[in-house]
Amino acid sequence: MRHFSADHLTRLTTAIFEAAGWPEADAAEVARHCTLANLSGHDSHGIGMVPLYIRSFRDGWLKPANTPVDRINAPPFLVIDAQVALGQPTATNAVQRAASMAKTQGVAILNLIDAHHIGRIGDYAEQAAAHGLISFFWVNVAGRPPIVAAHGAKEGRWGTNPHAIGIPSPDGAHMVLDFATSRMAHGKVRVALNKGERVAEGYLIDSEGRPTTDPAVAFAPGPLGALLPFGEHKGAGLAFMVELLSAGLAGGALIKDKPARTWIINSLFGILIDPLRLDPDEAARADRIASVTAFLRAARPQDSADPVRAPGDKEREMRALRLRDGIPLDDETWRQIAEAAAWFGIDAEAG
């Protein structure tokens, strides 16, 4: 493992996407989002995704010319067809627009359809919380073979179809719950594969439905296995609902229809709520949030060295640690990133 500063990875990622033809602001947003994912401990959604994005670009699927268009802009509803535009800046713009709508209307209903991979969903809940808004987000995954098994099935039927909830906290330590409906994010399986590590038991099945710890079964070539849903029928049922909410209702790409290409398509369904409409007494709400959070953190831990945390605490702790010590990347992930940079004549090692 090598360690890199957040500034180095941010500059490198920005340079790659600018060289590929995106405006500086869009390139910088991808870099901010991916680097923050790494800083937060979510390496599955960090700059290790950049080689896949550049492969999509080189294969002609992801293009700087891809431009989102509004389907519906009738407050409190906002439906946007992303037309496979670069995911992170497209989703950020959509969430910012929905946040403005929610501040005016009290609520906003957002459906972003057919964006390229939008990254860590918790980032958008954090963005909404920064505006003082409650948020709920559901995202499907299309454009690739199904990689998460339905409950009781031997094969994949869904993507990891993540879900996030954000509740703003006046002290800035926002409550953000962000998880895949699979027991393990697909990107974390990729990280294990790149590290040459096995996955813990209970997360994967092979192409015959047999339990395995080999991360290679989640990636082509070779017969494709599947990740298992969390909570058995509960996670599998939520994945089904996410597929319909995010893409099925408004006509976004569904995992059953799109051909397998070198891209990941996300559709996002979001609800943003102004808590002032629930209780205009901001001080009282702040006290309740603080007291419930303190009650949670005061629980006696199973391990005295590992305190009980509220949603979002672990990410904040990891950011402080990695800002100090650097972001760790395994050799294979760094090799892939350096290769993507070299295609544009960029030296990934240059500071």
Side-chain angles (χ1 to χ4, degrees):
M1 301 288 286
R2 293 179 58 188
H3 288 72
F4 299 85
S5 72
D7 286 346
H8 180 97
L9 297 181
T10 298
R11 288 194 301 270
L12 172 60
T13 305
T14 301
I16 290 171
F17 283 91
E18 282 193 274
W22 273 277
E24 180 183 0
D26 288 354
E29 177 57 21
V30 176
R32 180 204 67 80
H33 185 114
C34 291
T35 303
L36 183 59
N38 285 115
L39 283 172
S40 303
H42 298 288
D43 297 322
S44 56
H45 291 71
I47 74 160
M49 292 299 294
V50 168
L52 176 61
Y53 300 164
I54 297 306
R55 184 181 172 195
S56 297
F57 165 78
R58 292 178 62 180
D59 288 348
W61 306 121
L62 178 61
K63 306 172 185 176
N66 294 355
T67 304
V69 295
D70 286 359
R71 283 194 186 178
I72 299 171
N73 184 357
F77 295 96
L78 179 60
V79 180
I80 303 168
D81 184 347
Q83 302 192 112
V84 199
L86 189 61
Q88 288 87 346
T90 299
T92 291
N93 179 262
V95 169
Q96 297 298 322
R97 291 177 63 193
S100 295
M101 191 177 286
K103 297 291 279 189
T104 301
Q105 301 289 323
V107 65
I109 312 297
L110 170 66
N111 202 178
L112 176 67
I113 298 167
D114 292 355
H116 200 268
H117 186 246
I118 65 174
R120 186 177 70 93
I121 309 309
D123 191 290
Y124 306 107
E126 290 176 358
Q127 291 183 36
H131 286 281
L133 299 170
I134 299 164
S135 63
F136 303 82
F137 293 107
W138 299 270
V139 178
N140 87 321
V141 184
R144 313 203 91 196
I147 194 58
V148 180
H151 180 56
K154 289 185 176 182
E155 60 183 347
R157 273 296 176 265
W158 315 118
T160 52
N161 290 15
H163 166 66
I165 302 173
I167 297 178
S169 179
D171 64 1
H174 306 308
M175 305 293 114
V176 175
L177 181 67
D178 172 19
F179 57 84
T181 50
S182 54
R183 284 200 66 192
M184 186 179 199
H186 193 207
K188 291 184 178 180
V189 185
R190 171 181 52 78
V191 170
L193 180 67
N194 285 350
K195 289 181 177 180
E197 297 177 351
R198 309 291 285 190
V199 172
E201 293 181 359
Y203 289 87
L204 292 170
I205 55 175
D206 66 15
S207 60
E208 297 300 319
R210 298 169 299 206
T212 181
T213 61
D214 182 3
V217 304
F219 300 90
L224 198 62
L227 286 80
L228 293 172
F230 85 86
E232 299 180 333
H233 65 283
K234 298 175 183 178
L238 182 55
F240 171 78
M241 292 299 187
V242 171
E243 188 78 7
L244 294 178
L245 273 175
S246 60
L249 298 181
L254 297 168
I255 199 163
K256 73 181 187 66
D257 295 330
K258 281 285 185 179
R261 293 173 174 164
T262 52
W263 63 9
I264 302 174
I265 300 298
N266 288 153
S267 291
L268 172 148
F269 186 82
I271 302 172
L272 287 74
I273 302 168
D274 186 349
L276 287 171
R277 306 300 181 104
L278 303 176
D279 182 354
D281 190 337
E282 189 168 0
R285 280 191 288 107
D287 286 344
R288 290 193 293 271
I289 291 171
S291 65
V292 173
T293 304
F295 178 71
L296 168 63
R297 292 176 178 145
R300 290 179 295 124
Q302 294 281 352
D303 181 349
S304 60
D306 188 17
V308 176
R309 297 172 175 86
D313 285 351
K314 190 171 183 179
E315 285 80 0
R316 284 184 285 272
E317 293 170 9
M318 186 62 72
R319 288 172 193 176
L321 179 67
R322 289 189 168 185
L323 280 171
R324 184 193 71 195
D325 297 341
I327 293 170
L329 295 175
D330 63 87
D331 289 343
E332 176 58 19
T333 297
W334 180 246
R335 184 196 67 77
Q336 293 173 8
I337 293 166
E339 185 179 77
W343 198 81
F344 299 102
I346 296 170
D347 179 3
E349 298 286 349

